[in-house]
Each structure stands twice: as structure tokens, then as C-alpha cells.
Amino acid sequence: LGILIAGHLKRLERVILGYLEVSDGPEEEARLGILETLQCTIEHAWPRMPCRLPVLLKALLKMLWDVHTDQSSTPEPVKAALLQGATECLILLDRCSEGQVKVLLEGVYSSCEENRVRECIRKVRENT
């Protein structure tokens, strides 16, 4: 859809949030696909993303934490792909919001003690 996606952002946001919240089994195909969809959406509709930042940031951080604490049979490469996809989305959100994500993640980074989550946040903070 390209920039035409902007006309569907409200509905698409609900779909993205729903898929990010729920694990869909060991291969996590739906979550990986929705992260790719979110990346494309941010790239095409970047002027509209700053107002959606609080909701998307919260959902991505929650998903990072859920993946990190997941005790199911999800293979490590799949978990790593999910963490990478979420990190890439956070970097894109930071770029289109002129650094707001980095500012908001300061407190999370300083209070988080989990290395995998901290590593994702560090990548966002160091990306220019």
C-alpha cells in the first residue's frame, strides 16, 4: 500500500498490537510476520508514527520481556529473531520521532537487569 497505509493505521495498529501480545507457538511465524509488517508500516507512514509512539513502545517492550521470559519450546534462533525484529522496530520509531524513544528508554535501561533485554535497548540507544 505504501503511503496509502496511513488511511488504515487505526485498524492496523489494533491488529499489530493483538499479534504482538500473543505467542503463536514454537516457530512464532505470526509474531515474526507482524514485526515485519510493523517495520514496513513505520517506513511508509513515518510522519504518523510519533503520535502512536506510546502504544507501540509499550507493546514492543512487553513483547521483548515476554520473549525473554518465555519458558516454552521456542528455539533460541526464533527468540533471537523476535528480539532483533523488535529492536529494528524500536530503532525505526526512534528515527521518526526524532530521538524520543532513546529518551523514554533511559529509565528502562537503567532499571533493567536482564542482559538480553538490556542488549536490545542498548542497540536502540547507540543507533544514530
PDB file of all heavy atoms in Angstrom, residues 95-125:
ATOM      1  N   ARG A  95      13.932   6.944  15.034  1.00  0.00           N
ATOM      2  CA  ARG A  95      14.295   7.831  13.919  1.00  0.00           C
ATOM      3  C   ARG A  95      13.138   8.743  13.519  1.00  0.00           C
ATOM      4  O   ARG A  95      13.336   9.925  13.266  1.00  0.00           O
ATOM      5  CB  ARG A  95      14.746   7.010  12.717  1.00  0.00           C
ATOM      6  CG  ARG A  95      16.098   6.387  12.909  1.00  0.00           C
ATOM      7  CD  ARG A  95      16.505   5.597  11.692  1.00  0.00           C
ATOM      8  NE  ARG A  95      17.769   4.928  11.925  1.00  0.00           N
ATOM      9  CZ  ARG A  95      18.189   3.896  11.221  1.00  0.00           C
ATOM     10  NH1 ARG A  95      17.460   3.437  10.225  1.00  0.00           N
ATOM     11  NH2 ARG A  95      19.341   3.335  11.494  1.00  0.00           N
ATOM     12  N   CYS A  96      11.940   8.194  13.457  1.00  0.00           N
ATOM     13  CA  CYS A  96      10.822   9.021  13.001  1.00  0.00           C
ATOM     14  C   CYS A  96      10.266   9.903  14.118  1.00  0.00           C
ATOM     15  O   CYS A  96       9.490  10.814  13.848  1.00  0.00           O
ATOM     16  CB  CYS A  96       9.724   8.185  12.361  1.00  0.00           C
ATOM     17  SG  CYS A  96       8.838   7.101  13.453  1.00  0.00           S
ATOM     18  N   SER A  97      10.679   9.663  15.350  1.00  0.00           N
ATOM     19  CA  SER A  97      10.215  10.513  16.453  1.00  0.00           C
ATOM     20  C   SER A  97      11.324  11.439  16.958  1.00  0.00           C
ATOM     21  O   SER A  97      11.223  11.974  18.059  1.00  0.00           O
ATOM     22  CB  SER A  97       9.697   9.646  17.602  1.00  0.00           C
ATOM     23  OG  SER A  97      10.763   8.917  18.199  1.00  0.00           O
ATOM     24  N   GLU A  98      12.368  11.569  16.167  1.00  0.00           N
ATOM     25  CA  GLU A  98      13.483  12.472  16.482  1.00  0.00           C
ATOM     26  C   GLU A  98      14.114  12.200  17.846  1.00  0.00           C
ATOM     27  O   GLU A  98      14.378  13.109  18.622  1.00  0.00           O
ATOM     28  CB  GLU A  98      13.027  13.924  16.375  1.00  0.00           C
ATOM     29  CG  GLU A  98      12.558  14.280  14.986  1.00  0.00           C
ATOM     30  CD  GLU A  98      12.016  15.687  14.870  1.00  0.00           C
ATOM     31  OE1 GLU A  98      11.879  16.371  15.903  1.00  0.00           O
ATOM     32  OE2 GLU A  98      11.726  16.101  13.739  1.00  0.00           O
ATOM     33  N   GLY A  99      14.341  10.932  18.150  1.00  0.00           N
ATOM     34  CA  GLY A  99      15.062  10.557  19.355  1.00  0.00           C
ATOM     35  C   GLY A  99      14.224  10.374  20.603  1.00  0.00           C
ATOM     36  O   GLY A  99      14.772  10.130  21.676  1.00  0.00           O
ATOM     37  N   GLN A 100      12.914  10.439  20.506  1.00  0.00           N
ATOM     38  CA  GLN A 100      12.066  10.285  21.686  1.00  0.00           C
ATOM     39  C   GLN A 100      12.184   8.901  22.315  1.00  0.00           C
ATOM     40  O   GLN A 100      12.089   8.774  23.539  1.00  0.00           O
ATOM     41  CB  GLN A 100      10.606  10.560  21.339  1.00  0.00           C
ATOM     42  CG  GLN A 100      10.293  12.001  21.054  1.00  0.00           C
ATOM     43  CD  GLN A 100       8.819  12.187  20.753  1.00  0.00           C
ATOM     44  OE1 GLN A 100       7.967  11.509  21.306  1.00  0.00           O
ATOM     45  NE2 GLN A 100       8.521  13.100  19.843  1.00  0.00           N
ATOM     46  N   VAL A 101      12.361   7.880  21.488  1.00  0.00           N
ATOM     47  CA  VAL A 101      12.453   6.519  22.013  1.00  0.00           C
ATOM     48  C   VAL A 101      13.679   6.386  22.917  1.00  0.00           C
ATOM     49  O   VAL A 101      13.603   5.808  24.003  1.00  0.00           O
ATOM     50  CB  VAL A 101      12.483   5.476  20.877  1.00  0.00           C
ATOM     51  CG1 VAL A 101      12.765   4.079  21.410  1.00  0.00           C
ATOM     52  CG2 VAL A 101      11.173   5.500  20.109  1.00  0.00           C
ATOM     53  N   LYS A 102      14.809   6.935  22.479  1.00  0.00           N
ATOM     54  CA  LYS A 102      16.022   6.882  23.303  1.00  0.00           C
ATOM     55  C   LYS A 102      15.789   7.523  24.661  1.00  0.00           C
ATOM     56  O   LYS A 102      16.207   6.993  25.692  1.00  0.00           O
ATOM     57  CB  LYS A 102      17.182   7.570  22.594  1.00  0.00           C
ATOM     58  CG  LYS A 102      17.727   6.799  21.433  1.00  0.00           C
ATOM     59  CD  LYS A 102      18.844   7.544  20.745  1.00  0.00           C
ATOM     60  CE  LYS A 102      19.298   6.747  19.545  1.00  0.00           C
ATOM     61  NZ  LYS A 102      19.832   7.525  18.486  1.00  0.00           N
ATOM     62  N   VAL A 103      15.126   8.659  24.666  1.00  0.00           N
ATOM     63  CA  VAL A 103      14.837   9.362  25.922  1.00  0.00           C
ATOM     64  C   VAL A 103      13.947   8.505  26.811  1.00  0.00           C
ATOM     65  O   VAL A 103      14.210   8.355  28.016  1.00  0.00           O
ATOM     66  CB  VAL A 103      14.173  10.731  25.639  1.00  0.00           C
ATOM     67  CG1 VAL A 103      13.697  11.382  26.917  1.00  0.00           C
ATOM     68  CG2 VAL A 103      15.126  11.643  24.883  1.00  0.00           C
ATOM     69  N   LEU A 104      12.895   7.928  26.239  1.00  0.00           N
ATOM     70  CA  LEU A 104      11.969   7.112  27.023  1.00  0.00           C
ATOM     71  C   LEU A 104      12.607   5.818  27.524  1.00  0.00           C
ATOM     72  O   LEU A 104      12.210   5.302  28.565  1.00  0.00           O
ATOM     73  CB  LEU A 104      10.730   6.793  26.178  1.00  0.00           C
ATOM     74  CG  LEU A 104       9.855   7.994  25.819  1.00  0.00           C
ATOM     75  CD1 LEU A 104       8.812   7.610  24.779  1.00  0.00           C
ATOM     76  CD2 LEU A 104       9.192   8.571  27.062  1.00  0.00           C
ATOM     77  N   LEU A 105      13.587   5.308  26.805  1.00  0.00           N
ATOM     78  CA  LEU A 105      14.228   4.048  27.206  1.00  0.00           C
ATOM     79  C   LEU A 105      15.310   4.236  28.268  1.00  0.00           C
ATOM     80  O   LEU A 105      15.795   3.247  28.824  1.00  0.00           O
ATOM     81  CB  LEU A 105      14.821   3.346  25.987  1.00  0.00           C
ATOM     82  CG  LEU A 105      13.829   2.729  25.015  1.00  0.00           C
ATOM     83  CD1 LEU A 105      14.563   2.099  23.842  1.00  0.00           C
ATOM     84  CD2 LEU A 105      12.940   1.708  25.698  1.00  0.00           C
ATOM     85  N   GLU A 106      15.707   5.468  28.551  1.00  0.00           N
ATOM     86  CA  GLU A 106      16.755   5.708  29.557  1.00  0.00           C
ATOM     87  C   GLU A 106      16.416   5.038  30.886  1.00  0.00           C
ATOM     88  O   GLU A 106      17.227   4.329  31.466  1.00  0.00           O
ATOM     89  CB  GLU A 106      16.975   7.204  29.765  1.00  0.00           C
ATOM     90  CG  GLU A 106      17.676   7.888  28.616  1.00  0.00           C
ATOM     91  CD  GLU A 106      19.086   7.389  28.380  1.00  0.00           C
ATOM     92  OE1 GLU A 106      19.786   7.075  29.359  1.00  0.00           O
ATOM     93  OE2 GLU A 106      19.484   7.311  27.213  1.00  0.00           O
ATOM     94  N   GLY A 107      15.217   5.283  31.381  1.00  0.00           N
ATOM     95  CA  GLY A 107      14.818   4.714  32.667  1.00  0.00           C
ATOM     96  C   GLY A 107      14.702   3.206  32.627  1.00  0.00           C
ATOM     97  O   GLY A 107      15.050   2.520  33.592  1.00  0.00           O
ATOM     98  N   VAL A 108      14.227   2.683  31.519  1.00  0.00           N
ATOM     99  CA  VAL A 108      14.089   1.235  31.383  1.00  0.00           C
ATOM    100  C   VAL A 108      15.472   0.588  31.412  1.00  0.00           C
ATOM    101  O   VAL A 108      15.691  -0.405  32.098  1.00  0.00           O
ATOM    102  CB  VAL A 108      13.350   0.871  30.075  1.00  0.00           C
ATOM    103  CG1 VAL A 108      13.292  -0.634  29.881  1.00  0.00           C
ATOM    104  CG2 VAL A 108      11.962   1.468  30.056  1.00  0.00           C
ATOM    105  N   TYR A 109      16.404   1.165  30.675  1.00  0.00           N
ATOM    106  CA  TYR A 109      17.755   0.598  30.600  1.00  0.00           C
ATOM    107  C   TYR A 109      18.421   0.589  31.967  1.00  0.00           C
ATOM    108  O   TYR A 109      19.027  -0.399  32.371  1.00  0.00           O
ATOM    109  CB  TYR A 109      18.600   1.389  29.595  1.00  0.00           C
ATOM    110  CG  TYR A 109      19.966   0.788  29.368  1.00  0.00           C
ATOM    111  CD1 TYR A 109      20.124  -0.300  28.524  1.00  0.00           C
ATOM    112  CD2 TYR A 109      21.097   1.294  30.002  1.00  0.00           C
ATOM    113  CE1 TYR A 109      21.369  -0.872  28.305  1.00  0.00           C
ATOM    114  CE2 TYR A 109      22.350   0.738  29.789  1.00  0.00           C
ATOM    115  CZ  TYR A 109      22.475  -0.347  28.942  1.00  0.00           C
ATOM    116  OH  TYR A 109      23.703  -0.912  28.734  1.00  0.00           O
ATOM    117  N   SER A 110      18.291   1.682  32.697  1.00  0.00           N
ATOM    118  CA  SER A 110      18.980   1.771  33.988  1.00  0.00           C
ATOM    119  C   SER A 110      18.354   0.864  35.043  1.00  0.00           C
ATOM    120  O   SER A 110      19.040   0.442  35.975  1.00  0.00           O
ATOM    121  CB  SER A 110      18.994   3.224  34.483  1.00  0.00           C
ATOM    122  OG  SER A 110      17.673   3.683  34.681  1.00  0.00           O
ATOM    123  N   SER A 111      17.084   0.525  34.904  1.00  0.00           N
ATOM    124  CA  SER A 111      16.447  -0.319  35.914  1.00  0.00           C
ATOM    125  C   SER A 111      16.361  -1.787  35.512  1.00  0.00           C
ATOM    126  O   SER A 111      16.040  -2.636  36.341  1.00  0.00           O
ATOM    127  CB  SER A 111      15.041   0.209  36.222  1.00  0.00           C
ATOM    128  OG  SER A 111      14.224   0.107  35.076  1.00  0.00           O
ATOM    129  N   CYS A 112      16.650  -2.111  34.260  1.00  0.00           N
ATOM    130  CA  CYS A 112      16.547  -3.491  33.785  1.00  0.00           C
ATOM    131  C   CYS A 112      17.833  -4.252  34.083  1.00  0.00           C
ATOM    132  O   CYS A 112      18.929  -3.765  33.810  1.00  0.00           O
ATOM    133  CB  CYS A 112      16.272  -3.495  32.275  1.00  0.00           C
ATOM    134  SG  CYS A 112      16.094  -5.157  31.615  1.00  0.00           S
ATOM    135  N   GLU A 113      17.677  -5.444  34.608  1.00  0.00           N
ATOM    136  CA  GLU A 113      18.848  -6.260  34.934  1.00  0.00           C
ATOM    137  C   GLU A 113      18.993  -7.479  34.036  1.00  0.00           C
ATOM    138  O   GLU A 113      19.916  -8.258  34.210  1.00  0.00           O
ATOM    139  CB  GLU A 113      18.763  -6.700  36.401  1.00  0.00           C
ATOM    140  CG  GLU A 113      18.807  -5.531  37.366  1.00  0.00           C
ATOM    141  CD  GLU A 113      18.690  -5.944  38.813  1.00  0.00           C
ATOM    142  OE1 GLU A 113      18.629  -7.164  39.086  1.00  0.00           O
ATOM    143  OE2 GLU A 113      18.664  -5.060  39.667  1.00  0.00           O
ATOM    144  N   GLU A 114      18.090  -7.636  33.095  1.00  0.00           N
ATOM    145  CA  GLU A 114      18.124  -8.794  32.203  1.00  0.00           C
ATOM    146  C   GLU A 114      18.976  -8.475  30.976  1.00  0.00           C
ATOM    147  O   GLU A 114      18.681  -7.548  30.232  1.00  0.00           O
ATOM    148  CB  GLU A 114      16.704  -9.176  31.782  1.00  0.00           C
ATOM    149  CG  GLU A 114      15.766  -9.424  32.939  1.00  0.00           C
ATOM    150  CD  GLU A 114      16.251 -10.523  33.862  1.00  0.00           C
ATOM    151  OE1 GLU A 114      16.911 -11.478  33.394  1.00  0.00           O
ATOM    152  OE2 GLU A 114      15.974 -10.440  35.067  1.00  0.00           O
ATOM    153  N   ASN A 115      20.028  -9.252  30.776  1.00  0.00           N
ATOM    154  CA  ASN A 115      21.011  -8.946  29.740  1.00  0.00           C
ATOM    155  C   ASN A 115      20.450  -8.910  28.325  1.00  0.00           C
ATOM    156  O   ASN A 115      20.820  -8.040  27.540  1.00  0.00           O
ATOM    157  CB  ASN A 115      22.179  -9.932  29.805  1.00  0.00           C
ATOM    158  CG  ASN A 115      23.075  -9.646  30.984  1.00  0.00           C
ATOM    159  OD1 ASN A 115      23.128  -8.531  31.483  1.00  0.00           O
ATOM    160  ND2 ASN A 115      23.769 -10.676  31.447  1.00  0.00           N
ATOM    161  N   ARG A 116      19.567  -9.840  27.976  1.00  0.00           N
ATOM    162  CA  ARG A 116      19.047  -9.868  26.603  1.00  0.00           C
ATOM    163  C   ARG A 116      18.206  -8.630  26.311  1.00  0.00           C
ATOM    164  O   ARG A 116      18.273  -8.064  25.232  1.00  0.00           O
ATOM    165  CB  ARG A 116      18.221 -11.126  26.369  1.00  0.00           C
ATOM    166  CG  ARG A 116      19.073 -12.378  26.293  1.00  0.00           C
ATOM    167  CD  ARG A 116      18.237 -13.571  26.052  1.00  0.00           C
ATOM    168  NE  ARG A 116      18.098 -13.762  24.608  1.00  0.00           N
ATOM    169  CZ  ARG A 116      17.474 -14.794  24.069  1.00  0.00           C
ATOM    170  NH1 ARG A 116      16.938 -15.718  24.827  1.00  0.00           N
ATOM    171  NH2 ARG A 116      17.388 -14.911  22.772  1.00  0.00           N
ATOM    172  N   VAL A 117      17.399  -8.221  27.271  1.00  0.00           N
ATOM    173  CA  VAL A 117      16.562  -7.038  27.089  1.00  0.00           C
ATOM    174  C   VAL A 117      17.443  -5.790  27.068  1.00  0.00           C
ATOM    175  O   VAL A 117      17.263  -4.901  26.233  1.00  0.00           O
ATOM    176  CB  VAL A 117      15.484  -6.954  28.196  1.00  0.00           C
ATOM    177  CG1 VAL A 117      14.673  -5.680  28.068  1.00  0.00           C
ATOM    178  CG2 VAL A 117      14.575  -8.184  28.152  1.00  0.00           C
ATOM    179  N   ARG A 118      18.416  -5.729  27.983  1.00  0.00           N
ATOM    180  CA  ARG A 118      19.338  -4.594  28.007  1.00  0.00           C
ATOM    181  C   ARG A 118      20.106  -4.466  26.695  1.00  0.00           C
ATOM    182  O   ARG A 118      20.350  -3.365  26.213  1.00  0.00           O
ATOM    183  CB  ARG A 118      20.336  -4.734  29.164  1.00  0.00           C
ATOM    184  CG  ARG A 118      19.799  -4.308  30.502  1.00  0.00           C
ATOM    185  CD  ARG A 118      20.858  -4.475  31.582  1.00  0.00           C
ATOM    186  NE  ARG A 118      21.961  -3.548  31.438  1.00  0.00           N
ATOM    187  CZ  ARG A 118      22.048  -2.393  32.079  1.00  0.00           C
ATOM    188  NH1 ARG A 118      21.100  -2.021  32.901  1.00  0.00           N
ATOM    189  NH2 ARG A 118      23.091  -1.618  31.910  1.00  0.00           N
ATOM    190  N   GLU A 119      20.477  -5.588  26.115  1.00  0.00           N
ATOM    191  CA  GLU A 119      21.215  -5.572  24.844  1.00  0.00           C
ATOM    192  C   GLU A 119      20.367  -4.955  23.733  1.00  0.00           C
ATOM    193  O   GLU A 119      20.859  -4.159  22.934  1.00  0.00           O
ATOM    194  CB  GLU A 119      21.647  -6.997  24.468  1.00  0.00           C
ATOM    195  CG  GLU A 119      22.406  -7.107  23.179  1.00  0.00           C
ATOM    196  CD  GLU A 119      23.732  -6.362  23.163  1.00  0.00           C
ATOM    197  OE1 GLU A 119      24.284  -6.057  24.231  1.00  0.00           O
ATOM    198  OE2 GLU A 119      24.212  -6.081  22.058  1.00  0.00           O
ATOM    199  N   CYS A 120      19.097  -5.312  23.678  1.00  0.00           N
ATOM    200  CA  CYS A 120      18.207  -4.716  22.681  1.00  0.00           C
ATOM    201  C   CYS A 120      18.082  -3.219  22.882  1.00  0.00           C
ATOM    202  O   CYS A 120      18.165  -2.444  21.921  1.00  0.00           O
ATOM    203  CB  CYS A 120      16.822  -5.379  22.758  1.00  0.00           C
ATOM    204  SG  CYS A 120      16.800  -7.117  22.287  1.00  0.00           S
ATOM    205  N   ILE A 121      17.898  -2.796  24.122  1.00  0.00           N
ATOM    206  CA  ILE A 121      17.761  -1.376  24.423  1.00  0.00           C
ATOM    207  C   ILE A 121      19.059  -0.644  24.113  1.00  0.00           C
ATOM    208  O   ILE A 121      19.048   0.469  23.590  1.00  0.00           O
ATOM    209  CB  ILE A 121      17.321  -1.175  25.888  1.00  0.00           C
ATOM    210  CG1 ILE A 121      15.918  -1.754  26.095  1.00  0.00           C
ATOM    211  CG2 ILE A 121      17.343   0.300  26.271  1.00  0.00           C
ATOM    212  CD1 ILE A 121      15.468  -1.814  27.530  1.00  0.00           C
ATOM    213  N   ARG A 122      20.193  -1.280  24.417  1.00  0.00           N
ATOM    214  CA  ARG A 122      21.491  -0.668  24.131  1.00  0.00           C
ATOM    215  C   ARG A 122      21.647  -0.405  22.633  1.00  0.00           C
ATOM    216  O   ARG A 122      22.121   0.644  22.209  1.00  0.00           O
ATOM    217  CB  ARG A 122      22.624  -1.560  24.630  1.00  0.00           C
ATOM    218  CG  ARG A 122      24.020  -0.932  24.460  1.00  0.00           C
ATOM    219  CD  ARG A 122      25.137  -1.937  24.690  1.00  0.00           C
ATOM    220  NE  ARG A 122      25.110  -3.056  23.765  1.00  0.00           N
ATOM    221  CZ  ARG A 122      25.477  -2.999  22.473  1.00  0.00           C
ATOM    222  NH1 ARG A 122      25.887  -1.869  21.943  1.00  0.00           N
ATOM    223  NH2 ARG A 122      25.427  -4.067  21.718  1.00  0.00           N
ATOM    224  N   LYS A 123      21.220  -1.369  21.813  1.00  0.00           N
ATOM    225  CA  LYS A 123      21.319  -1.200  20.357  1.00  0.00           C
ATOM    226  C   LYS A 123      20.492  -0.005  19.895  1.00  0.00           C
ATOM    227  O   LYS A 123      20.924   0.749  19.019  1.00  0.00           O
ATOM    228  CB  LYS A 123      20.829  -2.465  19.639  1.00  0.00           C
ATOM    229  CG  LYS A 123      21.791  -3.610  19.731  1.00  0.00           C
ATOM    230  CD  LYS A 123      21.223  -4.850  19.045  1.00  0.00           C
ATOM    231  CE  LYS A 123      22.119  -6.058  19.220  1.00  0.00           C
ATOM    232  NZ  LYS A 123      21.531  -7.266  18.668  1.00  0.00           N
ATOM    233  N   VAL A 124      19.330   0.181  20.475  1.00  0.00           N
ATOM    234  CA  VAL A 124      18.487   1.331  20.113  1.00  0.00           C
ATOM    235  C   VAL A 124      19.166   2.618  20.546  1.00  0.00           C
ATOM    236  O   VAL A 124      19.223   3.584  19.785  1.00  0.00           O
ATOM    237  CB  VAL A 124      17.087   1.209  20.754  1.00  0.00           C
ATOM    238  CG1 VAL A 124      16.263   2.457  20.470  1.00  0.00           C
ATOM    239  CG2 VAL A 124      16.363  -0.038  20.260  1.00  0.00           C
ATOM    240  N   ARG A 125      19.691   2.636  21.766  1.00  0.00           N
ATOM    241  CA  ARG A 125      20.327   3.845  22.296  1.00  0.00           C
ATOM    242  C   ARG A 125      21.560   4.242  21.508  1.00  0.00           C
ATOM    243  O   ARG A 125      21.851   5.424  21.357  1.00  0.00           O
ATOM    244  CB  ARG A 125      20.698   3.627  23.763  1.00  0.00           C
ATOM    245  CG  ARG A 125      19.484   3.551  24.673  1.00  0.00           C
ATOM    246  CD  ARG A 125      19.862   3.245  26.087  1.00  0.00           C
ATOM    247  NE  ARG A 125      20.684   4.319  26.636  1.00  0.00           N
ATOM    248  CZ  ARG A 125      21.479   4.181  27.676  1.00  0.00           C
ATOM    249  NH1 ARG A 125      21.569   3.029  28.288  1.00  0.00           N
ATOM    250  NH2 ARG A 125      22.171   5.189  28.129  1.00  0.00           N
TER     251      ARG A 125
END
